[in-house]
Structures are given as structure tokens and as C-alpha cells.
Amino acid sequence: MSALPTPAAQNGHAHAHPQARDAGPDHPHDHTHGDDDEHAHPAIAVHAPLAATAEAGPAMRVAGLTKLYGRGCPDCIATTGPDVETNACAACGTLVACANVSFQLQAGHTIGIVGESGSGKTTVLRALYGDVTPTAGTAHLAAYRDGQRSIFEASSAERRRIRNFTLGMVYQHAWEGLNLRISAGGNVAERLLAAEWRRIGQIRERAAGLLGRMEVPVAWMDDFPAYFSGGMQQRVQIAKALANGPSVVLLDEMTSGLDVSVQAGVLDLIQEIQRDEGVAMVVVSHDLGVVRLLCERTMVMKNGRVVEAGLTDQILEDPHHPYTQLLVSSINA
């Protein structure tokens, strides 16, 4: 990663520790209440010491995640964001896809990221999965070096191992996560082989079990997903993402474009998996209804920034930021 100054360094007071200032229009609203630690939202503590966060043992903790597309300049952070309604730097034209995104995810829990197109929510997932290289920030996984080293500092070989053993990804478009030229069972097998499964019988048994759980008929296991419906392709993709027993699964708009009845079936399966497997999940969606159903905590993003974060119920019942209020009013209309 380049030696770009951190967002806090570039923007001074605008990125000071949230507890040291009030949440202004460009600052995430924190739904933390007094000294009630049970409801304290660690995502807002962007620059919290590692020792303090490690004690709670989160499955994932992310701090200061920033991704710029362009050469960058000292004005990139200050001249972009919700206050000015743009992601493009006025000084150099660099696109600030996301800036200073921070959160913690406990094992077995789910956090949602909501926002409109261009808000930066998908960039966050792609950076965590290794599809794009972040410009700044850190991300620690409990399953990687006991959470003591950022996965962004890992070597290429280590990043491949993290993808193959520790993370799962479900893309918005199934063709990004599936190889449509091989069978449904072959897609699951491909993931298992990457995770060093070698016995064909065990691989086929695992694939059949996962596809069956996703309600993909076992008789279709040797068929190409290119000929499946959109909903069925997403079920195959979820089965593939879960094949290696990941500790964290990243889901990007997995119900977008699906019929309402199909969406309901996919969401029911996600809930069942999260409950039974205890896997931690990051769910990206533009639909607050999806986040309400799946996620205990939620972050709201706009123009590359987190503008509000906290318990999902609190955000939906008492939104603070004007953009969040607009989102909530749209689902209550």
C-alpha cells in the first residue's frame, strides 16, 4: 500500500476519536448509551488500541479502511464525503471509494452495511476479500496469526490461504463467484480442493450435503449453473462460499434482482446457516429490510463514509443522520 497519510491525519478534527467530539454531519452517529458496555459499539472507536479490542476476541476488526482510485492528494479526504455530496476529489479528481471505515464483528454475529450505489459498501467487502488493494487501514482476523497482524500485510500466498480457509464471499452477481463452465457440484469441489481436500468421495459427499441444504436438488449436482435460475445460482454460490467452513462470510447484495418469493427463501437459508453454524457475517445491502432481518448491528454509508452505526433496532427506530432518516422513512412509507 502507498504511504498515503491516514484519513485522520489528512482531515484533522474531522476524524478525531468520536468520544472526543460531537457527531456532526460528516461524522458517524454512534448509538452508544452511557456506560452500558453491552450496547457499546466498538466500530466507532476507529483508533482504539489493539490490546483493548483483542480482549473481546472479535472474529474480525477493521480500522481506517480507505480505498482511493487515482493518484491521491492531501485534499482527497477533506473535499469529499456526505457534506459535499461527492466521492470525487475537487483538487485531483481521485475517486474516494471509501474512507476511514471501521468496525468490529464478533464471532457468530452479523453486521450490515447499507447505502446507495456508490456509497462504498461493496468496496469494503472487496478489500476485505482481497479483490482490491486498500490504500490505507488495517483488518485483523482472529483466525489469522491470532488477530495480531493485519491481513493487508499478508503475503500473496498468505492472502490466498485466507481466502481458501478463513473467508467466504457471495457476490451480487452469481457469475462473479461461480465458474459457469463446470457443474454445481464442481464449483463446490473447486473450493474444497483449494482448501486442500483430496479424497474424491469426501468432496462429492460434502458438495451434495451443502447443495441439498441450500435446497438445490441433488440430481442437479452435475448440471451447469449457467442454466439455473438466478435464485438457484445464488444458492449454489452460497454453498460454495460455505464449503471451506469459513469463520467469516461476506455477502454482497445476494438478493438483489431476485423475485420477492425467491429473496425470502434465500434469506431464510442465510438465517438458518448463521444460527446453526455460528459463522460471522458481513451483509451489504441497499435494502434496510434485509438488514433488519439478518443483522444485529448496522453501518450506514454515504459517499464513501460511515455516517451512522449502532444496533440495527436503534438505528431503525431512532435514526440520527438525515440520510439514515431518509432510508428509514422509505421503508416505513
Side-chain angles (χ1 to χ4, degrees):
M1 293 184 291
S2 63
L4 182 80
T6 63
Q10 292 187 14
N11 206 22
H13 177 71
H15 292 276
H17 193 289
Q19 293 179 352
R21 46 89 177 136
D22 293 329
D26 193 28
H27 303 142
H29 289 278
D30 184 5
H31 287 256
T32 299
H33 296 280
D35 296 324
D36 185 359
D37 289 338
E38 181 180 354
H39 298 289
H41 183 43
I44 305 302
V46 175
H47 303 295
L50 293 185
T53 58
E55 186 177 351
M60 172 182 282
R61 65 183 191 275
V62 178
L65 176 56
T66 300
K67 175 60 180 177
L68 308 184
Y69 289 98
R71 61 184 177 87
C73 75
D75 295 326
C76 282
I77 302 301
T79 62
T80 59
D83 281 353
V84 290
E85 297 283 337
T86 183
N87 293 58
C89 175
C92 69
T94 292
L95 178 66
V96 181
C98 63
N100 208 30
V101 176
S102 302
F103 64 90
Q104 289 192 14
L105 176 62
Q106 298 296 325
H109 289 261
T110 306
I111 187 169
I113 308 177
V114 296
E116 62 194 2
S117 296
S119 63
K121 56 190 188 297
T122 292
T123 299
V124 171
L125 285 199
R126 289 182 179 271
L128 292 174
Y129 196 57
D131 288 339
V132 300
T133 301
T135 306
T138 61
H140 295 79
L141 290 171
Y144 172 65
R145 297 185 179 240
D146 296 324
Q148 298 304 305
R149 185 183 181 192
S150 172
I151 61 174
F152 299 152
E153 299 174 0
S155 66
S156 297
E158 286 178 316
R159 285 310 303 263
R160 284 194 299 272
R161 189 167 182 84
I162 289 168
R163 286 170 65 113
N164 292 338
F165 287 86
T166 307
L167 294 176
M169 178 76 171
V170 177
Y171 294 92
Q172 176 179 355
H173 304 292
W175 54 264
E176 291 188 81
L178 296 176
N179 184 340
L180 301 181
R181 296 172 296 177
I182 63 175
S183 68
N187 270 277
V188 178
E190 186 177 61
R191 185 76 168 161
L192 292 171
L193 288 168
E196 299 180 358
W197 286 52
R198 292 296 179 261
R199 296 184 179 274
I200 299 302
Q202 292 177 350
I203 290 174
R204 191 166 179 83
E205 181 181 358
R206 172 72 169 164
L210 284 167
L211 292 170
R213 185 167 186 185
M214 292 301 105
E215 299 179 359
V216 177
V218 177
W220 294 10
M221 190 167 77
D222 296 321
D223 294 337
F224 296 121
Y227 301 106
F228 293 178
S229 67
M232 200 60 71
Q233 286 180 345
Q234 285 295 53
R235 291 167 189 257
V236 174
Q237 193 187 183
I238 294 168
K240 181 176 182 177
L242 293 171
N244 59 340
S247 60
V248 178
V249 175
L250 313 172
L251 302 108
D252 185 16
E253 300 275 14
M254 71 279 186
T255 60
S256 179
L258 301 181
D259 293 339
V260 174
S261 60
V262 177
Q263 285 185 23
V266 171
L267 292 174
D268 285 345
L269 285 171
I270 293 295
Q271 280 188 302
E272 178 184 328
I273 291 163
Q274 202 279 332
R275 182 180 63 248
D276 294 348
E277 302 294 332
V279 63
M281 295 184 176
V282 183
V283 177
V284 158
S285 180
H286 67 279
D287 187 346
L288 273 176
V290 170
V291 171
R292 167 188 277 167
L293 182 67
L294 297 179
C295 306
E296 298 98 343
R297 291 187 174 275
T298 297
M299 299 190 301
V300 182
M301 292 189 68
K302 181 172 174 58
N303 296 119
R305 308 298 200 279
V306 177
V307 297
E308 190 156 2
L311 294 171
T312 301
D313 288 344
Q314 291 176 356
I315 286 178
L316 294 177
E317 292 170 7
D318 184 25
H320 294 171
H321 192 275
Y323 177 66
T324 312
Q325 293 170 358
L326 180 64
L327 288 180
V328 172
S329 66
S330 70
I331 67 170
N332 292 333

